[in-house]
Amino acid sequence: MGNCLRHSSPREVSKRKKALPIETSFRLPSPLPTWPPGEGFASGTIDLGGINVCQISSFAKVWATHEGGPDNLGATFFEPSSIPDRYYMLGSYGQPNNSLLFGWVLTAKDDTNGALLKQPLDYTLVWSSESLKIKQDGIGYFWLPIAPEGYQALGHVVTNTQDKPSLDKVRCVRSDFTDQTENNTWIWEPGKEINTNQFNFFSLRPTNRGPQDMGVCVGTFPKIHMVAPLLLYLV
């Protein structure tokens, strides 16, 4: 009694939650030097012919599952945070839990008085985790923005409630500023391996890749068996 420490039993230690790799952000071994401000690429934004994009690597966690996917560790889904004024997200970000948090997404601003980016007309709930008997942080809901005619949604919006996201939350991109992509890295599905009969989530890469191809990856994810995924196109 009094001034002594109590040793935890091995069983108690095993019950403690083990930190997942994704709970730690990736860091370089040493900090980058400070560079003077510049123009173009050095400004932190890029003009894609009227759509100004800014890369965001700070995220707010929305929903996570702790099983299924690579290494059966689950995945975590985020939305970008600290978005600059007048910029809008194009979709949510997702990553497997078996690696350090390292991702990014593009946010976009319309420099043409609203001709290139539009609010969605509505959302369609395309999937939720409500019926899954898995370890998860609440319930995840995946919404597809319904784009106006002549525009395309470039990603899904993930929420942890049944309420539809605000129409002002994301923007759809005019169709001639998009290009086709293909699935790249597997993010997650409820099982331990890819099952084409289940919902699967993948990262994207341009279908046409090379020095003459001008597709710009947005960083969002599509859901397999849905409409063909898209990315921004440099015009």
Short mmCIF file of all heavy atoms in Angstrom, two decimals, residues 54 56 62 78-81 83-84 86-93 105-109 117-118 120 123 145 154-158 165-173 218 220:
data_model
loop_
_atom_site.label_atom_id
_atom_site.label_comp_id
_atom_site.label_asym_id
_atom_site.label_seq_id
_atom_site.Cartn_x
_atom_site.Cartn_y
_atom_site.Cartn_z
N CYS A 54 -5.47 23.37 -54.78
CA CYS A 54 -4.54 23.45 -53.65
C CYS A 54 -4.49 22.08 -52.99
O CYS A 54 -5.53 21.49 -52.70
CB CYS A 54 -5.01 24.52 -52.66
SG CYS A 54 -4.00 24.65 -51.17
N ILE A 56 -4.10 19.54 -50.03
CA ILE A 56 -4.32 19.54 -48.58
C ILE A 56 -3.89 18.20 -48.01
O ILE A 56 -4.31 17.14 -48.48
CB ILE A 56 -5.82 19.78 -48.25
CG1 ILE A 56 -6.31 21.10 -48.85
CG2 ILE A 56 -6.04 19.75 -46.74
CD1 ILE A 56 -5.68 22.32 -48.26
N VAL A 62 -13.25 10.92 -40.01
CA VAL A 62 -14.71 10.81 -40.09
C VAL A 62 -15.19 9.44 -39.62
O VAL A 62 -16.08 9.34 -38.79
CB VAL A 62 -15.21 11.07 -41.53
CG1 VAL A 62 -16.73 10.90 -41.61
CG2 VAL A 62 -14.81 12.47 -41.99
N PHE A 78 -11.30 10.12 -44.11
CA PHE A 78 -11.11 11.48 -43.62
C PHE A 78 -11.76 12.48 -44.58
O PHE A 78 -12.08 12.15 -45.72
CB PHE A 78 -9.62 11.84 -43.55
CG PHE A 78 -8.77 10.90 -42.75
CD1 PHE A 78 -8.26 9.74 -43.32
CD2 PHE A 78 -8.45 11.18 -41.42
CE1 PHE A 78 -7.45 8.89 -42.59
CE2 PHE A 78 -7.64 10.33 -40.69
CZ PHE A 78 -7.14 9.18 -41.27
N GLU A 79 -11.88 13.72 -44.10
CA GLU A 79 -12.14 14.84 -44.99
C GLU A 79 -11.06 15.88 -44.75
O GLU A 79 -10.50 15.98 -43.65
CB GLU A 79 -13.53 15.43 -44.78
CG GLU A 79 -13.79 16.03 -43.44
CD GLU A 79 -15.20 16.62 -43.35
OE1 GLU A 79 -16.15 16.00 -43.85
OE2 GLU A 79 -15.33 17.69 -42.74
N PRO A 80 -10.70 16.64 -45.78
CA PRO A 80 -9.63 17.63 -45.61
C PRO A 80 -10.03 18.73 -44.64
O PRO A 80 -11.19 19.12 -44.56
CB PRO A 80 -9.43 18.17 -47.03
CG PRO A 80 -10.72 17.90 -47.73
CD PRO A 80 -11.25 16.63 -47.14
N SER A 81 -9.07 19.20 -43.90
CA SER A 81 -9.30 20.31 -42.97
C SER A 81 -8.40 21.48 -43.36
O SER A 81 -7.51 21.34 -44.20
CB SER A 81 -9.02 19.87 -41.52
OG SER A 81 -7.66 19.46 -41.38
N ILE A 83 -9.08 24.09 -45.11
CA ILE A 83 -9.23 24.41 -46.53
C ILE A 83 -9.19 25.93 -46.71
O ILE A 83 -9.88 26.66 -46.00
CB ILE A 83 -10.55 23.84 -47.07
CG1 ILE A 83 -10.55 22.31 -46.93
CG2 ILE A 83 -10.76 24.24 -48.53
CD1 ILE A 83 -11.86 21.67 -47.36
N PRO A 84 -8.39 26.43 -47.65
CA PRO A 84 -8.31 27.89 -47.85
C PRO A 84 -9.66 28.49 -48.25
O PRO A 84 -10.54 27.80 -48.77
CB PRO A 84 -7.29 28.04 -48.98
CG PRO A 84 -6.51 26.77 -48.97
CD PRO A 84 -7.46 25.70 -48.53
N ARG A 86 -12.61 30.08 -50.15
CA ARG A 86 -13.14 29.96 -51.50
C ARG A 86 -12.75 28.67 -52.20
O ARG A 86 -13.10 28.46 -53.36
CB ARG A 86 -12.75 31.17 -52.38
CG ARG A 86 -13.33 32.50 -51.90
CD ARG A 86 -12.82 33.66 -52.73
NE ARG A 86 -13.11 33.45 -54.15
CZ ARG A 86 -12.33 33.88 -55.14
NH1 ARG A 86 -11.20 34.52 -54.87
NH2 ARG A 86 -12.68 33.67 -56.39
N TYR A 87 -12.03 27.80 -51.52
CA TYR A 87 -11.72 26.47 -52.07
C TYR A 87 -12.73 25.46 -51.51
O TYR A 87 -13.25 25.64 -50.40
CB TYR A 87 -10.31 26.02 -51.70
CG TYR A 87 -9.22 26.68 -52.52
CD1 TYR A 87 -8.78 27.97 -52.22
CD2 TYR A 87 -8.62 26.01 -53.57
CE1 TYR A 87 -7.78 28.58 -52.96
CE2 TYR A 87 -7.61 26.60 -54.33
CZ TYR A 87 -7.21 27.89 -54.01
OH TYR A 87 -6.21 28.47 -54.74
N TYR A 88 -12.97 24.39 -52.26
CA TYR A 88 -13.93 23.37 -51.85
C TYR A 88 -13.33 21.98 -52.04
O TYR A 88 -12.53 21.76 -52.96
CB TYR A 88 -15.21 23.47 -52.69
CG TYR A 88 -15.99 24.74 -52.44
CD1 TYR A 88 -15.74 25.87 -53.20
CD2 TYR A 88 -16.95 24.81 -51.43
CE1 TYR A 88 -16.44 27.05 -52.98
CE2 TYR A 88 -17.65 25.98 -51.20
CZ TYR A 88 -17.39 27.09 -51.97
OH TYR A 88 -18.08 28.26 -51.74
N MET A 89 -13.74 21.06 -51.17
CA MET A 89 -13.29 19.69 -51.33
C MET A 89 -14.00 19.05 -52.52
O MET A 89 -15.11 19.44 -52.89
CB MET A 89 -13.54 18.87 -50.05
CG MET A 89 -14.98 18.75 -49.62
SD MET A 89 -15.15 17.83 -48.04
CE MET A 89 -15.05 16.13 -48.64
N LEU A 90 -13.33 18.08 -53.13
CA LEU A 90 -13.87 17.34 -54.26
C LEU A 90 -14.30 15.93 -53.86
O LEU A 90 -14.96 15.24 -54.64
CB LEU A 90 -12.84 17.26 -55.39
CG LEU A 90 -12.38 18.62 -55.93
CD1 LEU A 90 -11.21 18.45 -56.88
CD2 LEU A 90 -13.52 19.35 -56.62
N GLY A 91 -13.93 15.53 -52.66
CA GLY A 91 -14.29 14.22 -52.15
C GLY A 91 -13.49 13.91 -50.91
O GLY A 91 -12.55 14.63 -50.55
N SER A 92 -13.84 12.83 -50.24
CA SER A 92 -13.15 12.40 -49.03
C SER A 92 -11.90 11.59 -49.37
O SER A 92 -11.69 11.19 -50.52
CB SER A 92 -14.10 11.56 -48.15
OG SER A 92 -15.23 12.31 -47.76
N TYR A 93 -11.10 11.35 -48.35
CA TYR A 93 -9.85 10.58 -48.50
C TYR A 93 -9.93 9.32 -47.66
O TYR A 93 -10.44 9.35 -46.53
CB TYR A 93 -8.65 11.43 -48.07
CG TYR A 93 -7.35 10.67 -48.05
CD1 TYR A 93 -6.69 10.36 -49.24
CD2 TYR A 93 -6.78 10.23 -46.85
CE1 TYR A 93 -5.50 9.66 -49.24
CE2 TYR A 93 -5.59 9.53 -46.84
CZ TYR A 93 -4.95 9.24 -48.04
OH TYR A 93 -3.78 8.53 -48.03
N VAL A 105 -5.31 15.34 -50.65
CA VAL A 105 -6.35 15.52 -51.67
C VAL A 105 -6.22 16.94 -52.23
O VAL A 105 -5.62 17.81 -51.60
CB VAL A 105 -7.78 15.32 -51.11
CG1 VAL A 105 -8.02 13.89 -50.69
CG2 VAL A 105 -8.06 16.29 -49.96
N LEU A 106 -6.80 17.14 -53.40
CA LEU A 106 -6.86 18.47 -53.96
C LEU A 106 -8.18 19.12 -53.59
O LEU A 106 -9.23 18.48 -53.59
CB LEU A 106 -6.74 18.43 -55.49
CG LEU A 106 -5.41 17.96 -56.07
CD1 LEU A 106 -5.44 18.07 -57.60
CD2 LEU A 106 -4.24 18.74 -55.50
N THR A 107 -8.13 20.38 -53.25
CA THR A 107 -9.33 21.22 -53.14
C THR A 107 -9.30 22.21 -54.30
O THR A 107 -8.24 22.47 -54.88
CB THR A 107 -9.37 21.97 -51.80
OG1 THR A 107 -8.18 22.77 -51.67
CG2 THR A 107 -9.45 20.98 -50.64
N ALA A 108 -10.45 22.72 -54.67
CA ALA A 108 -10.52 23.50 -55.90
C ALA A 108 -11.27 24.80 -55.71
O ALA A 108 -12.20 24.90 -54.90
CB ALA A 108 -11.19 22.67 -57.00
N LYS A 109 -10.86 25.79 -56.49
CA LYS A 109 -11.52 27.10 -56.53
C LYS A 109 -11.78 27.46 -57.99
O LYS A 109 -10.92 27.24 -58.86
CB LYS A 109 -10.62 28.16 -55.87
CG LYS A 109 -11.21 29.57 -55.88
CD LYS A 109 -10.25 30.56 -55.25
CE LYS A 109 -9.02 30.79 -56.11
NZ LYS A 109 -8.21 31.95 -55.65
N LEU A 117 -16.96 24.91 -61.77
CA LEU A 117 -17.33 24.14 -60.59
C LEU A 117 -18.77 24.44 -60.21
O LEU A 117 -19.18 25.60 -60.22
CB LEU A 117 -16.41 24.48 -59.40
CG LEU A 117 -14.91 24.24 -59.57
CD1 LEU A 117 -14.16 24.68 -58.30
CD2 LEU A 117 -14.62 22.78 -59.86
N LYS A 118 -19.53 23.39 -59.88
CA LYS A 118 -20.92 23.56 -59.48
C LYS A 118 -21.20 22.73 -58.23
O LYS A 118 -20.61 21.67 -58.02
CB LYS A 118 -21.87 23.10 -60.60
CG LYS A 118 -21.82 23.92 -61.87
CD LYS A 118 -22.47 25.27 -61.71
CE LYS A 118 -22.57 25.99 -63.04
NZ LYS A 118 -23.13 27.36 -62.89
N PRO A 120 -23.36 20.05 -56.13
CA PRO A 120 -24.21 18.93 -56.53
C PRO A 120 -25.68 19.28 -56.37
O PRO A 120 -26.04 20.15 -55.57
CB PRO A 120 -23.78 17.81 -55.58
CG PRO A 120 -23.22 18.52 -54.38
CD PRO A 120 -22.59 19.77 -54.90
N TYR A 123 -27.51 14.17 -53.14
CA TYR A 123 -26.61 13.05 -52.87
C TYR A 123 -27.40 11.75 -52.92
O TYR A 123 -28.57 11.70 -52.56
CB TYR A 123 -25.98 13.17 -51.48
CG TYR A 123 -25.01 14.32 -51.31
CD1 TYR A 123 -25.45 15.55 -50.82
CD2 TYR A 123 -23.66 14.18 -51.61
CE1 TYR A 123 -24.56 16.60 -50.64
CE2 TYR A 123 -22.78 15.22 -51.43
CZ TYR A 123 -23.23 16.42 -50.94
OH TYR A 123 -22.35 17.46 -50.77
N PRO A 145 -22.16 12.48 -54.80
CA PRO A 145 -22.80 13.72 -55.23
C PRO A 145 -23.46 13.53 -56.61
O PRO A 145 -22.88 12.91 -57.50
CB PRO A 145 -21.64 14.71 -55.31
CG PRO A 145 -20.56 14.12 -54.44
CD PRO A 145 -20.71 12.64 -54.60
N LEU A 154 -16.09 13.95 -58.59
CA LEU A 154 -14.75 13.35 -58.61
C LEU A 154 -14.46 12.52 -57.38
O LEU A 154 -13.33 12.09 -57.19
CB LEU A 154 -13.69 14.43 -58.77
CG LEU A 154 -13.75 15.29 -60.03
CD1 LEU A 154 -12.50 16.15 -60.14
CD2 LEU A 154 -13.90 14.43 -61.27
N GLY A 155 -15.44 12.29 -56.53
CA GLY A 155 -15.20 11.49 -55.34
C GLY A 155 -16.49 11.31 -54.57
O GLY A 155 -17.55 11.80 -54.95
N HIS A 156 -16.39 10.59 -53.47
CA HIS A 156 -17.51 10.37 -52.57
C HIS A 156 -17.31 11.20 -51.30
O HIS A 156 -16.19 11.60 -50.98
CB HIS A 156 -17.62 8.90 -52.18
CG HIS A 156 -18.06 8.01 -53.31
ND1 HIS A 156 -17.21 7.66 -54.34
CD2 HIS A 156 -19.24 7.41 -53.58
CE1 HIS A 156 -17.86 6.89 -55.19
NE2 HIS A 156 -19.09 6.73 -54.76
N VAL A 157 -18.40 11.43 -50.58
CA VAL A 157 -18.35 12.12 -49.29
C VAL A 157 -18.71 11.10 -48.21
O VAL A 157 -19.75 10.43 -48.30
CB VAL A 157 -19.32 13.31 -49.24
CG1 VAL A 157 -19.26 13.98 -47.86
CG2 VAL A 157 -18.97 14.32 -50.33
N VAL A 158 -17.85 10.98 -47.22
CA VAL A 158 -18.07 10.03 -46.12
C VAL A 158 -18.57 10.80 -44.90
O VAL A 158 -18.01 11.85 -44.55
CB VAL A 158 -16.78 9.27 -45.77
CG1 VAL A 158 -17.04 8.25 -44.67
CG2 VAL A 158 -16.23 8.57 -47.01
N PRO A 165 -24.89 15.16 -46.52
CA PRO A 165 -23.97 16.29 -46.41
C PRO A 165 -24.59 17.56 -46.99
O PRO A 165 -25.52 17.51 -47.80
CB PRO A 165 -22.75 15.84 -47.23
CG PRO A 165 -22.91 14.36 -47.40
CD PRO A 165 -24.38 14.09 -47.38
N SER A 166 -24.04 18.67 -46.60
CA SER A 166 -24.48 19.95 -47.17
C SER A 166 -24.13 20.01 -48.65
O SER A 166 -23.06 19.53 -49.07
CB SER A 166 -23.79 21.10 -46.43
OG SER A 166 -23.93 22.31 -47.14
N LEU A 167 -25.01 20.59 -49.44
CA LEU A 167 -24.73 20.75 -50.86
C LEU A 167 -23.54 21.67 -51.09
O LEU A 167 -22.89 21.62 -52.15
CB LEU A 167 -25.96 21.30 -51.59
CG LEU A 167 -27.19 20.38 -51.62
CD1 LEU A 167 -28.34 21.09 -52.33
CD2 LEU A 167 -26.87 19.06 -52.31
N ASP A 168 -23.25 22.51 -50.13
CA ASP A 168 -22.13 23.45 -50.26
C ASP A 168 -20.80 22.82 -49.86
O ASP A 168 -19.76 23.46 -49.93
CB ASP A 168 -22.40 24.69 -49.40
CG ASP A 168 -21.50 25.86 -49.76
OD1 ASP A 168 -21.33 26.11 -50.97
OD2 ASP A 168 -20.95 26.49 -48.84
N LYS A 169 -20.82 21.55 -49.48
CA LYS A 169 -19.61 20.90 -48.96
C LYS A 169 -18.61 20.57 -50.05
O LYS A 169 -17.39 20.67 -49.85
CB LYS A 169 -19.99 19.61 -48.23
CG LYS A 169 -18.86 19.00 -47.41
CD LYS A 169 -19.36 17.81 -46.63
CE LYS A 169 -18.31 17.31 -45.64
NZ LYS A 169 -18.03 18.27 -44.56
N VAL A 170 -19.10 20.14 -51.22
CA VAL A 170 -18.22 19.72 -52.31
C VAL A 170 -18.59 20.46 -53.59
O VAL A 170 -19.62 21.12 -53.68
CB VAL A 170 -18.31 18.20 -52.56
CG1 VAL A 170 -17.85 17.42 -51.34
CG2 VAL A 170 -19.70 17.78 -52.97
N ARG A 171 -17.74 20.28 -54.57
CA ARG A 171 -18.00 20.82 -55.90
C ARG A 171 -17.83 19.72 -56.95
O ARG A 171 -16.99 18.84 -56.81
CB ARG A 171 -17.07 21.99 -56.22
CG ARG A 171 -17.39 23.26 -55.45
CD ARG A 171 -18.75 23.82 -55.83
NE ARG A 171 -19.05 25.09 -55.20
CZ ARG A 171 -19.69 25.23 -54.05
NH1 ARG A 171 -20.07 24.14 -53.38
NH2 ARG A 171 -19.96 26.42 -53.56
N CYS A 172 -18.66 19.81 -57.99
CA CYS A 172 -18.54 18.96 -59.16
C CYS A 172 -17.82 19.75 -60.25
O CYS A 172 -17.91 20.99 -60.30
CB CYS A 172 -19.91 18.51 -59.65
SG CYS A 172 -20.88 17.61 -58.40
N VAL A 173 -17.12 19.04 -61.12
CA VAL A 173 -16.25 19.67 -62.11
C VAL A 173 -16.85 19.52 -63.51
O VAL A 173 -17.41 18.46 -63.84
CB VAL A 173 -14.85 19.04 -62.07
CG1 VAL A 173 -13.93 19.67 -63.12
CG2 VAL A 173 -14.24 19.21 -60.68
N VAL A 218 -6.66 13.61 -58.13
CA VAL A 218 -7.36 14.43 -57.13
C VAL A 218 -7.09 13.94 -55.72
O VAL A 218 -7.15 14.70 -54.76
CB VAL A 218 -8.87 14.43 -57.44
CG1 VAL A 218 -9.66 15.21 -56.39
CG2 VAL A 218 -9.13 15.04 -58.81
N THR A 220 -8.90 11.55 -54.21
CA THR A 220 -10.11 10.95 -53.65
C THR A 220 -10.19 9.50 -54.10
O THR A 220 -9.28 8.98 -54.75
CB THR A 220 -11.36 11.70 -54.12
OG1 THR A 220 -11.42 11.68 -55.55
CG2 THR A 220 -11.30 13.16 -53.66
#
